[in-house]
Amino acid sequence: MPFITNKSAKEQVDIFYEDYGSGQPVILIHGWPLSRKTWEQQVWKIVESGFRCISYDRRGFGTSSSPWGPYDYSALASDLNTIIDGLKLEDAVIVGFSMGGGEVVRYLTDYGSNKVAKAALISSIIPLVKKKDDNPEGVPESDLEGIIDALQNDRVGFLKEFSKGFYNFADNKDKVSQAQLDYDFTIASFASPRATIQTALAWMHTDFRPELKNVNVPTLIVHGDADQTVPITTSAEQAAKGIKDNTYEVIKGAPHGLNITHADELNEILIKFLKS
């Protein structure tokens, strides 16, 4: 099985990855609290469009190892750097979904863009989730604390319901099956409990606004205007204003999990960007 070890980590971290196709490398970084499997509808399209597609499990999730810590964004970005260096990638495109957008930005902050040609932020949390005086549309601190309490007291119970909001399930039952919800729950429930909480704290409290200037490669921003998990006003709209060279695409009626509900539309947008 393909693992690559982050030898710079405080604890040994073995990152599981899948590597298909040939051509320019496209690295897919999944969202919280899932795994690389969230990219099922994108991997085949990327490979069949003539690109090399690499997807990996964040530390603590999927098949990757689960160290006690740390789980801050610089630690997570070091795992991405391990993938890029270990596989000797050049001219890569790094694509982050939801929480994964943070690894994209922090990688460019900590390691620069010498090995990166383009970036993409899909339903991304970038630049800031939490409500502040200068981010009035963000999620209130009390709501974020409620998520952490739920994860600590009944993690699997919380996760069982979480994906319904991920897909705006009541409005998208024709696009998302109960089996998909069950699949997501299985993936999320088998993740490390500590990693689930610690990475949640990372995406909740990291303010990436000062780092947007470090995103100095052509960047695709895709978001659904019906996203109830990461509201578009606190994320994509601000990212599009703060990232100089960007292509901003809004998918009408799409929820957070648009990689499933609007896979064809997302794939068309993504492949067009990759080929541009």
Side-chain angles (χ1 to χ4, degrees), residues 77-130:
S78 75
D79 295 336
L80 172 57
N81 185 61
T82 294
I83 293 286
I84 292 174
D85 279 358
L87 298 181
K88 296 180 172 55
L89 304 180
E90 301 286 346
D91 199 32
V93 183
I94 49 178
V95 181
F97 178 86
S98 192
M99 178 186 181
E103 276 108 317
V104 171
V105 176
R106 184 57 57 85
Y107 175 87
L108 292 169
T109 296
D110 289 355
Y111 300 97
S113 58
N114 288 341
K115 298 179 180 180
V116 176
K118 297 177 182 178
L121 305 174
I122 313 296
S123 295
S124 172
I125 55 95
I126 295 300
L128 178 61
V129 171
K130 186 166 62 175

Side-chain angles (χ1 to χ4, degrees), residues 45 262-274:
K45 184 66 174 180
H262 293 70
D264 289 343
E265 291 172 70
L266 173 60
N267 290 350
E268 182 179 351
I269 292 169
L270 181 58
I271 298 305
K272 180 180 178 181
F273 175 73
L274 293 176

